[in-house]
Structure formats: C-alpha cells, structure tokens
Amino acid sequence: MSRRQLLIDVGNGRTKFGLATRETILERREHPTRELSPDAVREVTRGWEFDHAVICSVVPKVVPAFREVFADRLIELRHDAPLGIGIRYPRPETIGADRLANAVALAHMHGAPGIVIDFGTAVTFDILSADQCYIGGVIAPGLRLMTDYLHERTALLPSVDLREPTTAIGQSTEGAILAGAAIGYRGMVKGILEALKKELGSPTAHVVATGGDAEWIISGMGEAIATDPDLTLHGLRLVGNLHG
C-alpha cells in the first residue's frame, strides 16, 4: 500500500480533513472548527490509517488538540519548515500557514509566477514570483463577511442568501444587496488581480482560486481562472511528501 498521510486544514468556520497518498487525495471529511477537541479529532479520523499528519491552522487555540492526538506524527506547516518554495518577505513568521500551503500547491501544480485567490472568511491573494518565491499578498473582507456586516450594522437591510442577481439595477432591497455582492465583489477581485499582474510584470501569470465561494464568484467574471476546492489540502500533501 502506498504511504498515506492525513491532511488537516483548520479554517475559521470549518476544518477540512483529507486522507492522501503521495500523489492524490483519497477521501475528505469536515468538522466545525469551534467543536474540535481531542475526542472529536479521533472520531473524525476513525478508520483512516496513515503514517503522519500535516496541519495548517488559522485558529491557534485548536492546534493543541491535534498535538495531543498525533504527538510526534504531527507536522505543522511553518515558514521555516521545508516547503519546496522560497520566501522573500520581511517577517515570514507572520504569513498564515494556509497561505503558504496554497503557494506550495500553486508552484507545483499550476506554475509560477502566479496568484492564488482564497475565498474564505477573508479573501486572500498570495503571490508567487517567477523563481517560485512567496513575495506577499492582499487581504480583503470575504463576501459573506461583507453581506453579514451590512445586515448586522444597519436597521433595515435584511440578511440575504447569496445568488446571482437578475439585474444590475436592484428592483428591491434584496435585489440591490445581491447586485452589490455579486457585481461589486467581482469588480473588487478583478481590480486587485489587475494591479497584482501589473506589479508582477506578468499579464499571463497563473491564477487559481479556492475556497467556499470560489466557483460562484469566478463563474461570473468572464476570465480564465482555474478553481480547485482542494488546493490547500494539496499544498499540505506536497509538504508532507518532503518529510520522507
């Protein structure tokens, strides 16, 4: 049997688990991050056999649960661990581990120079230079963060279920919010991408999107942008491969 590894991507809302070989992801599971505990980790991974676990987390307080369960089998993705890419960044210890995982996957699966767009609670853009070095990024509010904030901070604006607006000119309060979310958000993404490509000096830089709303947002942008919901897990898989 090919050597197997457990991949763990701890996000603000949900944690993704993947069982993988060196080459591919075999199975996937998810669990709410706020409900993670050593017992929950054991339950989610029950029945999976693997040699080691590779984790990236944006929620530091849950990492001890994984350390307790996996002990010395746990590989924590850090800026100073073997990554297979370089880092040119003033304070590399401040780069989110998930962003480094995305950059690793971009370099080895899509190419450099390139840009990863990760649509999560925040939307992040991470940039890889032509010589495969992480050189920085952009952080902006996530789509649902923006729409939820509108509802929470105003007396009359409702909470809406995100979907494609029928018109750009909203014919109702809900329609107006949907137009702002879909058209406005895509405009922001396009504007940031344009500025990044210009600064990179590479109009043909590889661009790949991941995260919960990636498919929906990218589908309406009219640009050739690849989407990969497992990009972060693949980055963890590739880092795990470097550990023997």
Side-chain angles (χ1 to χ4, degrees):
M1 184 178 68
S2 176
R3 185 170 172 273
R4 294 187 175 184
Q5 51 187 335
L6 173 66
L7 314 174
I8 308 158
D9 173 20
V10 182
N12 286 292
R14 299 192 68 79
T15 294
K16 294 181 178 180
F17 297 79
L19 180 67
T21 64
R22 291 182 63 86
E23 294 79 25
T24 191
I25 299 168
L26 302 171
E27 295 181 54
R28 299 158 185 79
R29 296 173 184 171
E30 289 193 12
H31 194 78
T33 297
R34 68 180 178 277
E35 297 173 13
L36 283 173
S37 66
D39 285 343
V41 171
R42 292 186 186 97
E43 185 60 35
V44 173
T45 59
R46 189 182 303 279
W48 281 0
E49 295 185 4
F50 46 87
D51 298 296
H52 62 252
V54 192
I55 187 172
C56 67
S57 175
V58 298
V59 187
K61 68 179 181 181
V62 306
V63 176
F66 293 96
R67 292 177 183 146
E68 178 177 327
V69 175
F70 302 122
D72 59 0
R73 289 199 296 161
L74 185 67
I75 299 165
E76 297 182 37
L77 194 155
R78 295 167 40 91
H79 70 281
D80 52 0
L83 299 174
I85 61 170
I87 298 176
R88 284 202 300 273
Y89 194 78
R91 294 181 58 205
E93 69 277 5
T94 64
I95 306 168
D98 58 328
R99 303 178 72 181
L100 289 174
N102 286 342
V104 170
L106 173 67
H108 296 286
M109 298 176 67
H110 297 273
I115 301 163
V116 174
I117 316 171
D118 192 341
F119 295 97
T121 304
V123 59
T124 57
F125 297 73
D126 293 293
I127 296 90
L128 201 65
S129 63
D131 60 346
Q132 295 195 341
C133 285
Y134 181 96
I135 56 173
V138 174
I139 301 173
L143 178 56
R144 290 169 199 276
L145 200 62
M146 290 173 66
T147 53
D148 289 349
Y149 189 78
L150 275 177
H151 169 59
E152 290 167 9
R153 300 294 291 184
T154 58
L156 297 176
L157 295 183
S159 176
V160 300
D161 292 323
L162 289 172
R163 61 185 185 278
E164 206 63 43
T166 53
T167 60
I169 301 173
Q171 301 280 284
S172 65
T173 302
E174 184 181 54
I177 293 172
L178 289 173
I183 299 167
Y185 205 77
R186 286 174 181 140
M188 180 192 77
V189 172
K190 282 184 176 182
I192 292 173
L193 268 181
E194 185 180 330
L196 293 176
K197 287 179 177 179
K198 183 177 180 181
E199 200 160 297
L200 262 178
S202 179
T204 58
H206 301 270
V207 182
V208 60
T210 191
D213 294 313
E215 201 76 47
W216 181 66
I217 295 168
I218 297 303
S219 67
M221 284 181 54
E223 296 189 25
I225 296 174
T227 59
D228 183 350
D230 291 328
L231 191 75
T232 312
L233 291 180
H234 279 300
L236 291 169
R237 174 181 61 80
L238 291 160
V239 169
N241 288 351
L242 297 174
H243 287 260

